[in-house]
Amino acid sequence: MPLKMVDATLSTFNTVFEKFKSEAPNNKSNLILFLADIEPSTNLSWCPDCVRAEPVIYKKLESSSDDVALLRAYVGDRPTWRNPQHPWRVDSKFKLKGVPTLILWENGEVKGRLEDHEAHIERKIDALIATK
């Protein structure tokens, strides 16, 4: 069972993140993927970069033989995300600028990140996971 995935929204994030952090020592890699919500009318993310990056990220993580935990954190709809005071934009740990953002979480802090324009590049995903 190499890939363990859990989902969170703005309203559930703190509870889910606490559990994610408590289980982190059991995994070889712990990653947080911040991504845009799914549009109910299309069943796709409103963010084209997320649509492009998600399958690549999942493929890379699922092919790992190591135990990997992935917390998918949904930032909300486009107007929610565009607000400069969005909680994850102003959070001192995450300082999000765009979605998708893939973060390597290790020893209670951000150890690496791939932001929107690079989160779909396989070699960069490999390098991020190899950072450990």
Side-chain angles (χ1 to χ4, degrees):
M1 173 180 83
L3 178 61
K4 296 176 270 190
M5 242 186 311
V6 62
D7 293 342
T9 62
L10 272 171
S11 61
T12 64
F13 183 78
N14 289 341
T15 304
V16 175
F17 187 49
E18 286 305 315
K19 186 173 191 303
F20 175 82
K21 290 190 298 187
S22 73
E23 295 173 358
N26 303 328
N27 305 308
K28 171 88 167 125
S29 297
N30 296 282
L31 299 149
I32 306 168
L33 176 60
F34 290 94
L35 66 165
D37 281 18
I38 303 298
E39 286 284 350
S41 61
T42 63
N43 212 25
L44 293 171
S45 170
W46 56 258
C47 164
D49 289 336
C50 295
V51 172
R52 179 174 63 169
E54 275 188 88
V56 179
I57 292 169
Y58 300 149
K59 182 180 92 174
K60 294 306 287 180
L61 298 183
E62 287 167 354
S63 68
S64 171
S65 60
D66 295 322
D67 285 336
V68 176
L70 177 66
L71 168 53
R72 294 188 301 186
Y74 290 92
V75 302
D77 60 16
R78 189 185 303 258
T80 301
W81 172 243
R82 293 283 181 227
N83 180 344
Q85 294 305 307
H86 187 286
W88 295 329
R89 286 185 184 274
V90 298
D91 185 289
S92 62
K93 288 184 298 298
F94 302 123
K95 300 179 192 122
L96 289 190
K97 295 179 183 79
V99 288
T101 296
L102 183 63
I103 287 179
L104 176 64
W105 183 263
E106 186 182 311
N107 298 324
E109 62 186 42
V110 174
K111 289 289 187 184
R113 69 193 303 138
L114 296 175
E115 296 187 340
D116 48 10
H117 60 282
E118 59 188 358
H120 68 285
I121 302 171
E122 290 190 37
R123 65 181 167 73
K124 291 197 173 198
I125 298 167
D126 288 337
L128 180 71
I129 296 168
T131 302
K132 268 196 84 77

